[in-house]
Amino acid sequence: PAAGAPQQKRSKTQEQALEHERRDFPSEYESRWEDAERSSRRKLQEKAKHASEACTDLQRRLAELDAERESEAAMRRERLEEEKHLLSEAKERAMVELQTEFRKQQQEIQARVDAERERCGRLRGQQMRKTDDLTREVTDVRASIERVRDNYRSGQARTPDLPALPAPHSATPRQRP
């Protein structure tokens, strides 16, 4: 038995070592599992943090783009309003110029109409005076003819005092007013 004792002792030691390993194995496995889990969680948290930062950056950039778009839209509206205002002012100026030109032309036309009326009035007055003169002359000539007839009928041989007859109208050039 003495020879078997060291063998037994070695077996016992091996058995104890194996038992110790068996007891340590779950805790070593758990420790490695927990390390792996912690590492995975840390990586996942880092990825989540990066994703969150990227999402925040995207949201910030979208907000900046929205603000930029709104600013550009506001500037376009302002420019459009300014252009409308300028167009309205230009239209108003054009209308004033057209009305001024219209009034000026209307006054010029009225002045020509008035001048023509005055000229026609003078011509009419001259024609009326001529007509009156000729009517008086015709009346005088008729009266003279009537006296000659009366004298002729009464047998008087003397000639009445007759006014001088005007020269025929076709022989004298007409005067223009």
Side-chain angles (χ1 to χ4, degrees):
Q7 176 83 16
Q8 222 177 10
K9 201 174 185 185
R10 246 190 341 220
S11 282
K12 187 107 175 143
T13 309
Q14 281 179 347
E15 195 178 299
Q16 286 174 349
L18 282 174
E19 184 61 32
H20 189 272
E21 249 182 71
R22 187 185 63 82
R23 274 184 281 152
D24 287 343
F25 179 73
S27 82
E28 185 179 318
Y29 178 76
E30 281 181 27
S31 175
R32 282 191 303 186
W33 178 264
E34 288 172 359
D35 286 346
E37 188 177 354
R38 275 192 297 269
S39 175
S40 293
R41 284 187 185 181
R42 192 173 35 251
K43 288 179 184 177
L44 188 60
Q45 286 174 346
E46 286 179 21
K47 283 184 181 181
K49 181 181 174 186
H50 290 303
S52 176
E53 288 172 355
C55 184
T56 301
D57 286 346
L58 286 175
Q59 287 175 341
R60 181 187 51 77
R61 183 62 183 141
L62 284 174
E64 288 173 358
L65 289 173
D66 283 345
E68 190 176 311
R69 182 179 49 89
E70 285 299 319
S71 175
E72 287 175 0
M75 287 190 309
R76 280 193 303 269
R77 283 190 298 271
E78 284 177 19
R79 274 186 272 155
L80 183 61
E81 286 301 317
E82 185 178 332
E83 288 174 4
K84 281 182 183 178
H85 180 70
L86 292 174
L87 183 61
S88 176
E89 285 179 349
K91 184 179 177 183
E92 190 173 321
R93 281 193 306 272
M95 287 299 291
V96 167
E97 288 174 12
L98 285 174
Q99 288 175 347
T100 302
E101 184 63 27
F102 175 74
R103 285 188 200 111
K104 180 181 173 186
Q105 288 181 356
Q106 195 175 27
Q107 289 170 349
E108 288 174 1
I109 291 170
Q110 187 62 46
R112 287 195 306 245
V113 166
D114 292 344
E116 190 63 21
R117 278 187 182 150
E118 184 179 331
R119 187 183 76 77
C120 288
R122 280 194 314 267
L123 287 175
R124 186 170 183 260
Q126 289 172 353
Q127 293 299 320
M128 293 294 279
R129 283 190 297 279
K130 237 184 212 182
T131 301
D132 289 346
D133 290 345
L134 290 174
T135 302
R136 276 194 300 278
E137 188 177 323
V138 166
T139 303
D140 290 346
V141 169
R142 280 187 181 158
S144 293
I145 290 173
E146 197 55 46
R147 279 194 306 265
V148 168
R149 273 191 198 149
D150 287 344
N151 284 338
Y152 182 73
R153 280 189 205 134
S154 66
Q156 296 176 355
R158 72 178 180 96
T159 53
D161 295 332
L162 296 175
L165 293 176
H169 289 291
S170 60
T172 59
R174 285 194 148 166
Q175 294 180 346
R176 300 222 22 122

